[in-house]
Coordinates of all heavy atoms in Angstrom, one line a residue:
P314 N -5.7 1.6 -17.2 CA -5.3 3.1 -17.0 C -5.2 3.5 -15.6 O -5.9 4.5 -15.1 CB -6.5 3.8 -17.7 CG -7.6 2.9 -17.5 CD -7.1 1.4 -17.6
I315 N -4.3 2.8 -14.8 CA -4.2 3.1 -13.4 C -3.6 4.4 -13.1 O -4.1 5.3 -12.3 CB -3.3 2.0 -12.8 CG1 -4.0 0.6 -13.0 CG2 -3.2 2.2 -11.2 CD1 -3.2 -0.5 -12.5
C316 N -2.6 4.9 -13.9 CA -2.0 6.2 -13.7 C -2.9 7.3 -14.1 O -3.0 8.2 -13.2 CB -0.7 6.3 -14.7 SG 0.0 7.9 -14.7
E317 N -3.7 7.2 -15.1 CA -4.6 8.2 -15.4 C -5.7 8.3 -14.4 O -6.2 9.4 -14.1 CB -5.2 7.9 -16.9 CG -4.2 8.0 -18.1 CD -3.3 6.7 -18.1 OE1 -3.5 5.8 -17.3 OE2 -2.6 6.6 -19.1
T318 N -6.2 7.3 -13.8 CA -7.2 7.3 -12.9 C -6.7 7.9 -11.5 O -7.4 8.6 -10.8 CB -7.7 5.8 -12.6 OG1 -8.2 5.3 -13.9 CG2 -9.0 6.0 -11.7
L319 N -5.4 7.6 -11.2 CA -4.9 8.2 -10.0 C -4.7 9.8 -10.3 O -5.0 10.6 -9.3 CB -3.5 7.6 -9.8 CG -3.4 6.6 -8.7 CD1 -1.9 6.0 -8.7 CD2 -3.6 7.2 -7.3
A320 N -4.3 10.1 -11.4 CA -4.3 11.6 -11.7 C -5.7 12.2 -11.7 O -5.8 13.3 -11.2 CB -3.6 11.8 -13.2
D321 N -6.7 11.5 -12.2 CA -8.1 12.0 -12.0 C -8.4 12.2 -10.5 O -8.9 13.3 -10.1 CB -9.1 10.9 -12.5 CG -9.2 10.9 -14.0 OD1 -8.7 11.9 -14.6 OD2 -9.9 10.0 -14.6
L322 N -8.1 11.3 -9.7 CA -8.4 11.4 -8.3 C -7.7 12.5 -7.6 O -8.2 13.3 -6.9 CB -8.1 10.0 -7.6 CG -8.4 9.9 -6.1 CD1 -9.9 10.0 -5.9 CD2 -8.0 8.6 -5.6
L323 N -6.3 12.5 -7.9 CA -5.5 13.5 -7.1 C -5.8 14.9 -7.6 O -5.8 15.9 -6.9 CB -4.0 13.2 -7.5 CG -3.5 12.0 -6.7 CD1 -2.2 11.6 -7.3 CD2 -3.4 12.2 -5.2
S324 N -6.2 15.1 -8.9 CA -6.5 16.4 -9.4 C -8.0 16.9 -9.2 O -8.5 17.9 -9.5 CB -6.3 16.5 -10.9 OG -7.0 15.7 -11.6
C325 N -8.7 15.9 -8.4 CA -10.2 16.1 -8.1 C -11.0 16.2 -9.3 O -12.1 16.7 -9.2 CB -10.3 17.3 -7.2 SG -9.2 17.3 -5.7
E326 N -10.5 15.8 -10.4 CA -11.5 15.8 -11.6 C -12.7 14.9 -11.4 O -13.8 15.2 -11.8 CB -10.7 15.3 -12.9 CG -9.7 16.4 -13.3 CD -9.0 15.9 -14.6 OE1 -9.5 14.9 -15.2 OE2 -8.0 16.6 -14.9
T327 N -12.5 13.7 -10.8 CA -13.6 12.9 -10.4 C -14.6 13.5 -9.6 O -15.9 13.5 -9.8 CB -13.0 11.6 -9.8 OG1 -12.1 11.0 -10.6 CG2 -14.2 10.6 -9.5
I328 N -14.2 14.2 -8.6 CA -15.1 14.9 -7.7 C -15.8 16.1 -8.4 O -17.1 16.1 -8.3 CB -14.3 15.6 -6.5 CG1 -13.6 14.4 -5.6 CG2 -15.2 16.5 -5.6 CD1 -12.7 15.0 -4.5
E329 N -15.1 16.8 -9.2 CA -15.7 17.8 -10.0 C -16.8 17.2 -11.0 O -17.9 17.8 -11.2 CB -14.7 18.6 -10.8 CG -13.7 19.5 -10.0 CD -14.4 20.6 -9.4 OE1 -14.9 21.5 -10.1 OE2 -14.6 20.6 -8.2
R330 N -16.5 16.1 -11.7 CA -17.5 15.6 -12.5 C -18.7 15.1 -11.8 O -19.8 15.2 -12.2 CB -16.8 14.3 -13.2 CG -15.7 14.7 -14.3 CD -15.6 13.5 -15.2 NE -14.2 13.7 -15.9 CZ -13.1 13.0 -15.6 NH1 -13.2 12.1 -14.6 NH2 -12.0 13.1 -16.3

Side-chain angles (χ1 to χ4, degrees):
I315 300 171
C316 173
E317 293 81 357
T318 308
L319 259 172
D321 280 349
L322 183 62
L323 289 166
S324 62
C325 303
E326 289 183 11
T327 300
I328 296 173
E329 291 288 293
R330 288 198 197 107

